[in-house]
Amino acid sequence: MCRILIAVALVALSPAVGRGEGAWDIAKKAAGGSTTAKLEKEINRRLLDEGRKNQCSFKSGTAELEPGCDAKATKLARQLIDAKKKLAGAGVKNFKFVVSGHTDSTGDEAKNVELSRVRAAVMVKQLVAKGVAEAEIESIGMGSSKRLVKPDDTPAKKAKNRRYEVQVKL
C-alpha cells in the first residue's frame, strides 16, 4: 500500500517537476498552499520592483551608503510593512524578509561575498530603523554569484550587478 501511494505521488508530481517547479513549490501545492504560493510570488515581484526603483548606492568597495538613501529606504520599508499586512491577512505567520547583497565580478570572490553580506546587513539596519521588525528580517551575502548582467565588463554593467534584493521567504 505504501509503495502504491509513493508511486502515485511521484506520477502526480512528475509533470510539475518537468515544468521546473522546485520541491518547495510542489510541497506547498500538495499541502493546499497554492493561494499562499501565489501571494508569495506577488509579494516578491512587488518587493523586487520596489528594490530596483529605490536602490541605495554604496561607495565603491565599501559598505558605506552614498547620500540620498534615506527616502529610498523609507519607501522600501513601507513595502515590507504592507507585505506583512497582506501576509497576516492571509493567515501567514511564519515568514522572513531576506535582504540579499550582490556585487559585481571585480576582485576576489571571497571578499565580494563578505562585502555583499555587510552591505545587506547595512540595509537591514536601515529597514529596521524605518519600522520593520528586526525579528522578521535577515541578510545574506551572495557576492557575484547571481549577476543580472553577464559579462559585467563595463562600469554600467558592473553598477547593475552591485545591488541588494529583498524577498519574502515563507
Side-chain angles (χ1 to χ4, degrees):
M1 178 75 170
C2 184
R3 288 184 186 168
I4 294 171
L5 288 176
I6 292 171
V8 169
L10 289 174
V11 170
L13 294 177
S14 60
V17 172
R19 289 191 303 266
E21 293 184 35
W24 182 245
D25 296 320
I26 295 166
K28 279 195 258 188
K29 286 182 181 178
S34 65
T35 303
T36 304
K38 286 179 186 176
L39 180 62
E40 179 182 24
K41 186 175 180 178
E42 176 194 337
I43 288 172
N44 282 332
R45 182 188 55 77
R46 288 183 182 189
L47 291 176
L48 285 171
D49 287 347
E50 191 66 33
R52 287 186 180 123
K53 285 189 277 186
N54 291 294
Q55 195 66 218
C56 293
S57 298
F58 292 90
K59 291 186 179 180
S60 182
T62 74
E64 186 179 336
L65 289 167
E66 293 279 3
C69 185
D70 195 55
K72 293 175 181 181
T74 298
K75 288 178 184 178
L76 187 56
R78 283 187 198 136
Q79 278 290 347
L80 294 178
I81 292 166
D82 183 53
K84 179 181 174 180
K85 290 176 185 175
K86 287 183 181 184
L87 291 166
V92 177
K93 295 177 184 161
N94 193 15
F95 66 90
K96 285 276 189 185
F97 293 113
V98 179
V99 178
S100 59
H102 303 266
T103 65
D104 61 42
S105 63
T106 304
D108 179 67
E109 183 59 18
K111 288 180 183 176
N112 283 342
V113 169
E114 179 59 19
L115 178 59
S116 64
R117 185 193 65 73
V118 174
R119 285 178 174 175
V122 166
M123 285 312 303
V124 167
K125 286 181 185 176
Q126 286 286 312
L127 295 169
V128 168
K130 306 290 184 209
V132 178
E134 189 171 5
E136 296 170 348
I137 192 166
E138 62 185 49
S139 62
I140 59 172
M142 302 299 291
S144 64
S145 65
K146 294 195 175 187
R147 288 178 278 163
L148 292 176
V149 182
K150 293 180 184 178
D152 58 355
D153 53 1
T154 67
K157 290 178 180 178
K158 288 179 185 290
K160 285 187 183 262
N161 287 328
R162 290 189 306 264
R163 70 193 189 284
Y164 56 86
E165 295 179 345
V166 182
Q167 293 188 301
V168 68
K169 176 177 70 173
L170 304 183

